[in-house]
Amino acid sequence: MDIDAVHSYLLGLQDALCAQIEAVDGKAKFITDTWERAEGGGGRTRVISGGAVIEKGGVAFSDVRGTKLPPSATQHRPELVGRPFRAMGVSVVQHPLNPYCPTSHMNVRFFSTDGPNPIWWFGGGFDLTPFYGFEEDAVAWHKASREATGSLYPRFKKWCDEYFSLKHRGENRGIGGVFFDDFSEGDFTNAFAMMQKVGSAYGPALCDILQRRKDMPYGAREIEWQEIRRGRYVEFNLVWDRGTLFGLQSGGRTESILMSMPSRARWGYCHSPEAGSPEAALLDFIKPREWI
């Protein structure tokens, strides 16, 4: 088990993603915030805002240690609750300015327990949250998902559809992608390679879509709908997301955990889009389906 190799890959992934996103934006640059954790470890949070393409985004690396794993990290392995741990990963959320550009999320992570007979696993995935549905973008996104995960794509796609669901509203957050957790199949080398393929596929897939949509004209109607759908995004992250819960339950750094929040969002009481409108069409567009 080569933990140093995981650490090195994740730092390099953060550098690569920031460079890719800055190149698409063409205006804004990431600022870097390096921090330490009292219990052990720390991280490097990078945030971009006020760009020509990205309104607000973050690419965060963390490598933290703790005296006991919180329940959110051991949902499928309750026997590990309370064991010392090391957790590292890269987490990304990008909120573009143009409502025709989708919000996107990616996370890859590694956990290991300390002590005799350590247990380790990888997790990760990426998903897309469009505000207006474009078949071309959805197909390209899922092709990238399949190329990254190979024969595991059907399983990881289904997992993603089920995970990124706003159960309290009976709707999905977006069109999904792939998601996996507690992954240690094969050996360490095999599982690590899977995480790397997922992490490295996200940036090019996202940037291709941003290039297609970033210059589309929009107005007040599209902005209002974007803010309403961003509200749904916030609901998922604060109510259902295991990563958010893990960070808060383990005493993580609040600013880095909540960097995923958009600059603007709204909640209209019992809002319903006009029948036959592009906004109403999105609600059918994001229902789980086979894209490729």
Side-chain angles (χ1 to χ4, degrees):
M1 183 169 64
D2 190 350
I3 296 181
D4 288 342
V6 179
H7 185 276
S8 178
Y9 167 74
L10 292 172
L11 280 174
L13 177 63
Q14 185 190 40
D15 290 340
L17 288 171
C18 290
Q20 290 164 0
I21 292 165
E22 285 181 351
V24 171
D25 188 272
K27 173 186 174 184
K29 301 293 184 181
F30 282 89
I31 62 169
T32 300
D33 182 16
T34 302
W35 51 275
E36 295 182 358
R37 172 182 163 89
E39 200 171 346
R44 189 174 70 179
T45 300
R46 289 180 172 167
V47 175
I48 188 171
S49 62
V53 177
I54 303 297
E55 181 177 26
K56 180 189 175 187
V59 182
F61 164 81
S62 62
D63 179 3
V64 301
R65 296 165 178 81
T67 56
K68 57 182 181 179
L69 275 166
S72 59
T74 55
Q75 183 175 336
H76 304 295
R77 291 173 172 171
E79 73 278 7
L80 300 182
V81 173
R83 288 187 62 169
F85 71 92
R86 182 176 181 179
M88 66 177 80
V90 166
S91 183
V92 186
V93 175
Q94 299 297 318
H95 294 290
L97 182 64
N98 190 320
Y100 289 108
C101 289
T103 282
S104 65
H105 159 260
M106 189 278 289
N107 174 269
V108 284
R109 55 196 177 274
F110 171 75
F111 287 94
S112 63
T113 61
D114 294 337
N117 303 314
I119 295 174
W120 57 266
W121 65 92
F122 289 92
F126 50 73
D127 64 286
L128 198 70
T129 304
F131 309 112
Y132 292 91
F134 294 97
E135 193 89 8
E136 177 186 9
D137 296 350
V139 169
W141 185 257
H142 277 275
K143 282 183 176 178
S145 303
R146 184 176 62 185
E147 289 172 5
T149 56
S151 63
L152 293 171
Y153 168 73
R155 173 179 152 198
F156 289 174
K157 176 195 179 297
K158 184 174 184 292
W159 202 341
C160 188
D161 288 338
E162 293 174 349
Y163 181 76
F164 291 103
S165 170
L166 285 82
K167 300 173 181 64
H168 59 292
R169 290 191 180 271
E171 64 184 43
N172 275 49
R173 187 168 85 172
I175 63 162
V178 287
F179 177 83
F180 64 98
D181 205 0
D182 301 292
F183 186 78
S184 57
E185 295 177 13
D187 56 14
F188 177 87
T189 300
N190 178 70
F192 181 27
M194 174 57 65
M195 187 198 78
Q196 292 177 80
K197 290 175 183 176
V198 170
S200 299
Y202 165 77
L206 170 64
C207 291
D208 284 348
I209 294 173
L210 294 179
Q211 288 284 12
R212 279 197 292 274
R213 307 299 167 201
K214 64 186 180 68
D215 295 321
M216 292 182 66
Y218 63 91
R221 174 175 176 163
E222 289 86 354
I223 292 173
E224 179 183 13
W225 180 240
Q226 178 192 52
E227 292 175 347
I228 290 169
R229 296 307 301 175
R230 281 179 172 181
R232 300 290 203 270
Y233 196 93
V234 170
E235 288 178 23
F236 178 86
N237 276 24
L238 295 182
V239 176
W240 298 106
D241 187 63
R242 283 177 63 186
T244 302
L245 292 175
F246 171 80
L248 297 175
Q249 289 176 355
S250 62
R253 186 170 182 267
T254 302
E255 285 298 318
S256 296
I257 297 165
L258 297 182
M259 72 166 195
S260 63
M261 298 296 105
S263 299
R264 297 175 290 107
R266 73 170 69 190
W267 287 263
Y269 184 74
C270 291
H271 180 274
S272 181
E274 179 184 350
S277 67
E279 292 78 17
L282 178 81
L283 302 182
D284 285 327
F285 188 81
I286 62 176
K287 291 178 180 177
R289 70 171 89 171
E290 297 303 317
W291 291 101
I292 53 176

